[in-house]
Amino acid sequence: MHSNSRPTEPRSTPKDPSLRRSLALFRAFRREQQDPDGCYSLLARDAADQVEAYGGPVRGRTVADVGGGGGWFTEEFRRRGAHAYLFEPDAGELGPKPPAGAVIADGYLLPLADGSADVVFSSNVLEHIADPETFLSELVRVARPGGLIYVSFTNWLSPWGGHEWAPWHYLGAERARARYRRRTGKPPKHALGENLFAVHIGPTLHQVRAREDVEVVAARSRYWPFLASAVVRVPGLREFATWNLLLILRRCAP
């Protein structure tokens, strides 16, 4: 099941959270268009470190990577010995060399049995989902009792909420998209209400905390260099300062 499309040598990642780590990730994001492999390989190592920090080593465990695009996360989990599988709804996002065994699948209806994954992983997908609550329910469904669910997303009011047309989304989506088109000479990839949605931290936290089938292990900023959990506890401020919310959930026994 392993592919040769990604480097397999282990490389360390900076301590989480730390200013050094945040700067490294920020620099990588700035080079995303020129060096997507370097950017997403670093992000994949960082995310896998986070999964193992909360749930232990992934070696020998089944990981469902939902919406993992080009497969960087899947490949990193496989490098660590996991049985990792990629489920991606958009064939165009897979790239020329997707991981072996990648499945084209809708995140609302995954082709997996109930409780079939030890880790269900979703990185920066929720803001592209029209119905986040249903999507989250599907992630919970396929996690085994005691299993870990990793969900991160870029909230709308963060400085990067508008994605490629940020931070001008604060002035309105259409104005921001028009500015992007004037500046680059091409249409933006994302359109609000089509493939990008205004997802907020407060309502999302309320939804997951109201569920009886999961325990919230952590709710924190994914990239913030300090007080990563504290910033999420402050209503209002968290919508701007969190940048990217990371939720670590554990599936409760029935």
Side-chain angles (χ1 to χ4, degrees), residues 1-49:
M1 292 298 292
H2 289 263
S3 166
N4 295 322
S5 59
R6 305 283 181 248
T8 57
E9 71 277 6
R11 286 179 284 177
S12 62
T13 47
K15 180 182 178 182
D16 170 29
S18 70
L19 182 59
R20 177 170 170 262
R21 168 183 171 269
S22 294
L23 288 174
L25 290 169
F26 178 70
R27 293 190 187 105
F29 282 131
R30 293 194 65 181
R31 297 193 301 270
E32 176 197 4
Q33 297 297 317
Q34 297 78 23
D35 182 20
D37 194 70
C39 173
Y40 288 108
S41 294
L42 173 61
L43 187 60
R45 294 195 302 275
D46 186 80
D49 284 347

Side-chain angles (χ1 to χ4, degrees), residues 212-250:
E212 297 182 352
D213 51 3
V214 294
E215 168 198 359
V216 180
V217 177
R220 49 161 292 189
S221 171
R222 184 177 184 180
Y223 307 126
W224 200 247
F226 50 85
L227 300 175
S229 297
V231 69
V232 176
R233 299 192 190 106
V234 185
L237 175 65
R238 64 191 175 197
E239 301 294 344
F240 298 91
T242 300
W243 280 75
N244 187 290
L245 180 68
L246 170 58
L247 290 171
I248 302 291
L249 311 175
R250 192 175 304 280

Side-chain angles (χ1 to χ4, degrees), residues 18-103:
S18 70
L19 182 59
R20 177 170 170 262
R21 168 183 171 269
S22 294
L23 288 174
L25 290 169
F26 178 70
R27 293 190 187 105
F29 282 131
R30 293 194 65 181
R31 297 193 301 270
E32 176 197 4
Q33 297 297 317
Q34 297 78 23
D35 182 20
D37 194 70
C39 173
Y40 288 108
S41 294
L42 173 61
L43 187 60
R45 294 195 302 275
D46 186 80
D49 284 347
Q50 290 177 320
V51 169
E52 293 193 323
Y54 287 102
V58 296
R59 178 169 296 276
R61 301 168 75 187
T62 299
V63 178
D65 177 11
V66 182
W72 285 276
F73 301 105
T74 297
E75 292 287 7
E76 179 61 25
F77 285 123
R78 288 179 180 178
R79 188 186 67 75
R80 298 182 186 218
H83 307 293
Y85 305 96
L86 172 61
F87 300 89
E88 169 58 50
D90 186 352
E93 291 291 334
L94 289 174
K97 293 182 179 180
V103 178

Side-chain angles (χ1 to χ4, degrees), residues 121-203:
F121 180 88
S122 174
S123 173
N124 294 331
V125 176
L126 202 67
E127 71 266 33
H128 303 293
I129 300 295
D131 186 353
E133 191 167 6
T134 297
F135 179 78
L136 286 170
S137 292
E138 184 67 351
L139 301 187
V140 174
R141 180 188 70 79
V142 301
R144 67 166 179 80
L148 207 68
I149 302 151
Y150 177 112
V151 180
S152 83
F153 68 92
T154 303
N155 49 298
W156 175 246
L157 290 178
S158 82
W160 192 243
H163 286 46
E164 73 272 21
W165 27 278
W168 304 101
H169 64 295
Y170 288 130
L171 302 180
E174 289 308 312
R175 183 177 296 181
R177 282 170 49 82
R179 182 185 182 278
Y180 180 90
R181 193 178 295 108
R182 289 194 304 271
R183 185 170 60 86
T184 65
K186 61 182 181 180
K189 176 181 179 180
H190 297 99
L192 190 66
E194 296 178 15
N195 57 4
L196 182 64
F197 299 88
V199 183
H200 302 284
I201 292 175

